[in-house]
Amino acid sequence: MSTTETASNYDGLENMSVRELLENINREDKTVPLAVEKAIPQIEALVNATVERLEKGGRLFYIGAGTSGRLGIVDASECPPTYGVPHGMVVGIMAGGDEAIRKAVEFAEDDAEQAWKDLQEHNINEKDIVVGIAASGRTPYVIGGLNACRERGIATGCVVCNAGSAVAAAAEFPVEVVTGPEFVTGSTRMKAGTGQKLALNMLTTSTMVRLGRVKGNKMVDMQLSNLKLVDRGTRMVMEELEISHDEAGALLKRHGSVRAAVDAYRAGNEHQVL
């Protein structure tokens, strides 16, 4: 039996106080970063493969079902506003389609042929990389999609939470974050979901840094989609150029991003490039 399905280390949950529930859940959650740490060499290989393809105009696709699929969609949807990359560079696809984001679609994950059909709608090709996300490592939707990609020379990776799974076997660059039994037996939205989220954060953050989408430690290409981000961008420009808040705000408004504002200022004053 996979470790994500083995019995919880706790029993009698209904008899615990709220404080006991919270402390025990937290105790289990503390083990997740250690599981991710063990997978860093695998994550490194996946990042390098992803960077190589995105540098050449390829795209990163996530495929998954349930919580795993939703995590892929969240990670993909946050790349454009955070790093200013085009919509479509990182794409999340889940079994059951967009309807399944909010409400489970029965047996959608059991269709081993559907993932490839879904990928074809995006004109998937050998320049791209496809990462399957599956806590159990045995989701037919993901296995079928990865196998179809490998048959056609498309790079594949995965993030799973059991060792030696069928999903990992189907992936060229597998990442195995073995998080162990859940606090509520089999509830992989908990530790497994947290482990997957951490791994996906590491994958796209490291990839975007390597693609030049971060300067120093700042998101210089972020989309200015709300007042909080406009204020953050203004302060970035202030600090970088050592100018007033009003001048920084005007530059940012005129040029639309921190990078563009700084580049434009320096082109006219210091002949430097961010």
Side-chain angles (χ1 to χ4, degrees):
M1 182 183 294
S2 62
T3 57
T4 56
E5 296 294 329
T6 54
S8 171
N9 294 320
Y10 305 83
D11 201 358
L13 273 57
E14 70 275 20
N15 298 318
M16 293 181 185
S17 68
V18 171
R19 175 59 66 87
E20 288 172 326
L21 288 168
L22 299 177
E23 289 180 346
N24 290 332
I25 291 170
N26 181 245
R27 186 175 293 111
E28 287 297 303
D29 286 345
K30 289 176 182 177
T31 67
V32 177
L34 300 177
V36 174
E37 182 181 23
K38 293 177 182 177
I40 284 177
Q42 294 179 323
I43 300 171
E44 179 183 18
L46 180 56
V47 169
N48 287 334
T50 302
V51 171
E52 179 183 349
R53 283 153 183 84
L54 269 58
E55 282 181 329
K56 297 177 180 178
R59 299 163 294 172
L60 167 61
F61 286 90
Y62 293 131
I63 56 173
T67 297
S68 298
R70 295 182 188 101
L71 288 170
I73 288 172
V74 167
D75 193 68
S77 67
E78 290 176 346
C79 287
T82 305
Y83 300 109
V85 298
H87 288 277
M89 177 181 279
V90 185
V91 179
I93 300 173
M94 71 177 295
D98 288 351
E99 178 187 349
I101 296 173
R102 289 181 174 82
K103 182 179 179 181
V105 175
E106 303 244 344
F107 301 106
E109 70 175 59
D110 297 324
D111 188 340
E113 308 296 327
Q114 188 59 47
W116 176 246
K117 295 175 184 176
D118 293 341
L119 287 165
Q120 285 181 293
E121 292 183 7
H122 296 268
N123 298 313
I124 186 82
N125 62 73
E126 60 274 4
K127 292 196 301 184
D128 301 322
I129 184 166
V130 177
V131 174
I133 313 171
S136 67
R138 64 189 187 201
T139 307
Y141 179 86
V142 176
I143 297 168
L146 294 179
N147 282 331
C149 288
R150 292 196 73 173
E151 290 169 4
R152 293 162 176 83
I154 299 168
T156 56
C158 73
V159 180
V160 297
C161 297
N162 286 310
S165 69
V167 168
E172 185 180 357
F173 300 100
V175 173
E176 297 172 309
V177 180
V178 183
T179 49
E182 297 288 357
F183 180 70
V184 176
T185 299
S187 180
T188 52
R189 74 183 189 89
M190 300 184 75
K191 285 164 55 181
T194 300
Q196 290 172 318
K197 180 69 167 84
L198 293 175
L200 296 178
N201 285 348
M202 295 168 79
L203 169 57
T204 46
T205 300
S206 298
T207 294
M208 294 302 162
V209 171
R210 299 300 295 170
L211 292 176
R213 292 289 175 168
V214 173
K215 177 67 176 178
N217 57 15
K218 295 181 174 62
M219 301 177 289
V220 294
D221 294 316
M222 67 180 180
Q223 295 177 358
L224 306 174
S225 55
N226 58 51
L227 292 176
K228 176 190 72 175
L229 296 180
V230 170
D231 179 65
R232 181 186 297 168
T234 300
R235 286 185 282 108
M236 287 184 193
V237 174
M238 285 177 60
E239 293 170 8
E240 187 68 26
L241 298 177
E242 298 182 346
I243 59 178
S244 71
H245 184 278
D246 288 347
E247 189 175 4
L251 273 171
L252 189 64
K253 183 178 181 180
R254 185 156 58 247
H255 296 286
S257 76
V258 173
R259 184 190 299 274
V262 172
D263 284 354
Y265 182 90
R266 286 180 167 164
N269 295 274
E270 301 174 13
H271 306 291
Q272 297 179 12
V273 178
L274 179 62

